[in-house]
Amino acid sequence: MARLSLRQIAFLGCAFSLGSLTVLPATAQADDYTELLDILRAKGSLTRGEYNSLLAHHLRHGRSSSASTNQDDTSSPPARHNRYRRYNPNQYDGSLEPPDVTTIAASQAAQRAAQDAAASARDARSMLAHYDPDSIVRVKPYVAGKGVTVQAGQIEINLSGFINGFYTYNSPGGGRPVAGGISTGASGFDSSSVRNGLLPGGLILKLNTVQDGIKLGAVFGMYPGLNNADVGTFNANSGGSPVGLGTAGVDFRQVYMTAGTDKLGTIKIGRDIALFASDAILNDATLLSVGSTGSNANPANTSLGRIGVGYVYTDWLPQITYISPKWHGLQGSLGIMTPLDQFNFAGGGLSATTTQHSSPMVQGKVTYDTTIAGFTTRFWASFLTQHVQNLTSSTLGTDSRKGATVAAGDVGVKLSRGPFEGVAYYYYGNGLGTTGLLFDGISQTGRKRNSEGYYVQASYKILPRLKLVGSYGVSNLYQATDEDNPSLVRRNESEVGALYYTLTDWMFLVGEYAHTESAAHGPNRESDHTMSAGAMITF
């Protein structure tokens, strides 16, 4: 059997109490009250017996009210009539019929409901008085590829990352080894692997807040690989170890903090991607695939992509960098960074090395974003300079105090419109070397070698989810004055073609072909072919 809820009892009790205290005419009270009873009866909140009892009681009071009103002076305030007195059993004088039990229960329930409401209001006021917005935690709306963001009071916490994996088959095209070349053509053996592409896996934690009007940030970026690590000169990026019981390598590339304002710009302190050539790699399509393998029989944490075949690797360096605010699309950055050694990448004593540094490396970059003829366009230019000391080689000896100043610059442009996107890039260096920063940049005699390179790239969405990409790139290393090393690399180049299919907001599939060729200053040449297929998830 349906019974009155607490809210309904309270409402009915309040209505009855108001009906007993109101100064409106009795007929209007009877109509309103009767209508309320009818509604509650229709909803099933009152049994037939409860309905009849309440209605009869109300009608009796209505008749009593009418008779009393006729006998009273019309000037007397109706609110003072006996029938409006609250019922009190201890003061009952028999002049009115006492209300039945149902009416008393309803009135008491209404009083309790009113007391509960007052207590709830007090509690709410107390909560508001002690409300601390910094104690609230909420999740911001998810944006594909931008990670999961949680706002914990004044701190914004973002967790993002990516995972990729490719089956890669490399077939050497033959030839003779080139010192400093990146082709595997002279190896003579096909190789298969399941590996990372140019990117390893990534897990990036970012924390941001505003204190005293200053935007503060902290970033930790961990980049694990798939294959076993065989830590060497390049740490986790050295060639891997395809032997049982191995473990993967972890490249902790990012750990830095930022502080700044929209008006004054930002200071970055810590380890992060450098400025020179950074836009070259960030706009390279092989960043999301494999490109040139570098090594495939024993995969490192990453492939080479277009590193050494179109640009010199920007690297991730300890730095203190100032980043200006954007002004009409123009932005500049300038940083001092940990200086690097000159490195004999080609081996065989073909290049001089250094281990001493009295001054930091300096890098800078300028970007300009605009729209030209409907194309969203970005121009960039960057530079690098560093003094290297105590050059050492088989010719110079180990006690040489000879030094040199390395300098390099680059320019690039990216154009986007509808389904089309294009990139063009060029760099030039003096003592910069090739493939990596300061790799083979100085000859055995301590003279600087010039280097240059470029790549061009175009992509087109042939279907809403299917993109075709093609690119070509070259890196050249020239011999120093009076140098004659026929085995030293003169040119690395590659052509890449790929299809990217977007399966979901998180996942895309990749199929790719790459041809890589290396040529020495002498007759030696080698080439290889690489086919890769895989997938990447970004979140």
Side-chain angles (χ1 to χ4, degrees), residues 487-506:
S487 62
L488 180 68
V489 63
R490 175 180 62 84
R491 184 180 183 91
N492 286 314
E493 64 181 309
S494 73
E495 306 91 33
V496 177
L499 284 171
Y500 297 80
Y501 182 76
T502 302
L503 189 64
T504 72
D505 284 343
W506 276 34

Side-chain angles (χ1 to χ4, degrees), residues 219-458:
V219 176
F220 299 89
M222 179 180 64
Y223 296 81
L226 295 182
N227 283 274
N228 294 346
D230 187 9
V231 178
T233 301
F234 308 128
N235 297 307
N237 292 322
S238 299
S241 174
V243 178
L245 299 182
T247 58
V250 177
D251 178 0
F252 220 122
R253 298 181 182 181
Q254 289 175 297
V255 50
Y256 68 87
M257 58 182 173
T258 58
T261 67
D262 293 336
K263 182 178 293 186
L264 298 177
T266 301
I267 293 291
K268 177 195 296 183
I269 303 175
R271 182 186 180 95
D272 193 24
I273 194 168
L275 300 175
F276 175 74
S278 59
D279 279 62
I281 190 170
L282 294 176
N283 289 296
D284 176 13
T286 66
L287 188 68
L288 305 178
S289 57
V290 177
S292 299
T293 62
S295 62
N296 196 55
N298 57 331
N301 258 18
T302 73
S303 65
L304 286 176
R306 195 161 277 295
I307 297 171
V309 281
Y311 53 81
V312 175
Y313 184 46
T314 182
D315 226 314
W316 304 74
L317 301 177
Q319 60 188 274
I320 301 174
T321 297
Y322 169 74
I323 305 164
S324 76
K326 273 195 175 182
W327 183 74
H328 298 290
L330 187 66
Q331 187 172 41
S333 303
L334 182 66
I336 58 172
M337 305 181 186
T338 292
L340 298 175
D341 290 346
Q342 282 285 342
F343 180 66
N344 183 20
F345 181 67
L350 296 178
S351 302
T353 62
T354 57
T355 57
Q356 300 295 320
H357 312 285
S358 62
S359 57
M361 178 187 291
V362 179
Q363 295 192 24
K365 182 173 74 169
V366 175
T367 61
Y368 178 60
D369 297 308
T370 187
T371 300
I372 300 176
F375 285 88
T376 300
T377 306
R378 162 168 279 205
F379 297 97
W380 73 86
S382 63
F383 75 89
L384 172 156
T385 184
Q386 179 190 318
H387 186 66
V388 294
Q389 298 169 284
N390 196 30
L391 288 165
T392 303
S393 71
S394 57
T395 301
L396 293 169
T398 57
D399 296 324
S400 171
R401 302 186 66 83
K402 186 176 179 63
T405 299
V406 174
D410 69 358
V411 292
V413 61
K414 178 180 179 179
L415 303 168
S416 303
R417 183 176 181 179
F420 171 80
E421 184 176 279
V423 178
Y425 172 77
Y426 173 80
Y427 75 90
Y428 182 86
N430 183 235
L432 176 71
T434 188
T435 305
L437 295 177
L438 280 60
F439 281 19
D440 299 319
I442 297 181
S443 71
Q444 293 170 301
T445 60
R447 295 179 180 271
K448 293 182 288 185
R449 294 171 177 147
N450 294 330
S451 59
E452 65 174 347
Y454 64 88
Y455 79 87
V456 290
Q457 172 182 292

